[in-house]
Amino acid sequence: MRKLSMDELNRLSVEAFRESEKLPIIAVLENVRSAYNVGSFFRTADAFRLEGIYLVGYTAFPPHKEIKKTALGAEDTVHWKHFKTTAEALEDLRGLSYAIFAIEQAEGSQQLQHFEGGEKVAVVFGNEVTGVEQDTIKACDGCIEIPQLGMKHSLNVATAGGIVLWELVRHKLLAQ
């Protein structure tokens, strides 16, 4: 086995990425306080060629030094929008026919490994301490929960994002 060189990875140019077909998945970041976590979401969204990211409330948005540090340029390729309120973001998503799910431990939540998804899916990730707001949960089509088997029952929001977004992408890739 040999590590691939940068030339062998066949990376898209910024222009080719922007014009490429995206997977109909949008990550919504609700009041995420760490710009480094936001940058990580940009990088994940780029890696999986997601439709975009919605940044809500006091979540940092480009241009921002800390986003740039962890996004490594993905803030220039991934489509994003900023909304003052989550209600505005969800209204926009509903207008685009997205099913919307909060990533949260809640009554009646679906375990991630059993989530079927749909054609167009938006997933809401919450604040690092307080999670997704209760009013947002009520406005969603449901909740998805990441199984956690250890003593701690929380993950860093960017880590949770990588897990959830990969699982959604994996299902779409298997369906092709």
Side-chain angles (χ1 to χ4, degrees):
M1 211 175 300
R2 171 184 69 76
K3 183 176 173 179
L4 296 176
S5 70
M6 293 300 271
D7 289 338
E8 291 173 305
L9 292 175
N10 297 319
R11 293 182 188 236
L12 296 175
S13 67
V14 171
E15 295 77 27
F17 181 91
R18 286 185 182 144
E19 293 174 11
S20 67
E21 185 176 346
K22 309 297 188 298
L23 292 175
I25 300 169
I26 294 179
V28 180
L29 307 185
E30 179 183 69
N31 294 321
V32 171
R33 61 187 179 156
S34 167
Y36 293 118
N37 283 334
V38 175
S40 291
F41 269 93
F42 270 97
R43 195 161 167 197
T44 300
D46 178 283
F48 296 149
R49 212 182 297 177
L50 302 187
E51 189 68 38
I53 296 177
Y54 281 16
L55 307 167
V56 176
Y58 59 76
T59 302
F61 54 89
H64 193 287
K65 182 176 122 179
E66 292 169 354
I67 291 174
K68 188 173 193 64
K69 184 171 184 170
T70 51
L72 298 177
E75 75 279 16
D76 298 326
T77 58
V78 174
H79 174 73
W80 62 272
K81 290 183 182 181
H82 180 258
F83 296 88
K84 288 184 180 181
T85 69
T86 307
E88 292 170 333
L90 299 187
E91 181 181 336
D92 188 75
L93 290 164
R94 295 253 185 250
L96 297 170
S97 302
Y98 273 82
I100 306 166
F101 294 87
I103 306 303
E104 192 58 81
Q105 297 163 326
E107 291 177 340
S109 64
Q110 296 181 58
Q111 294 290 301
L112 177 59
Q113 71 272 23
H114 300 300
F115 181 69
E116 296 283 328
E119 179 60 32
K120 298 169 90 175
V121 177
V123 284
V124 182
F125 296 89
N127 175 274
E128 291 90 336
V129 175
T130 59
V132 177
E133 294 178 14
Q134 184 61 45
D135 286 344
T136 301
I137 290 171
K138 288 179 184 177
C140 288
D141 298 309
C143 288
I144 303 168
E145 186 172 334
I146 301 169
Q148 296 174 55
L149 310 175
M151 189 180 90
K152 299 294 179 191
H153 290 280
S154 68
L155 294 166
N156 170 275
V157 68
T159 300
I163 292 167
V164 170
L165 294 170
W166 164 245
E167 189 66 12
L168 296 177
V169 168
R170 189 179 73 80
H171 279 286
K172 293 204 177 292
L173 293 175
L174 288 172
Q176 292 179 350

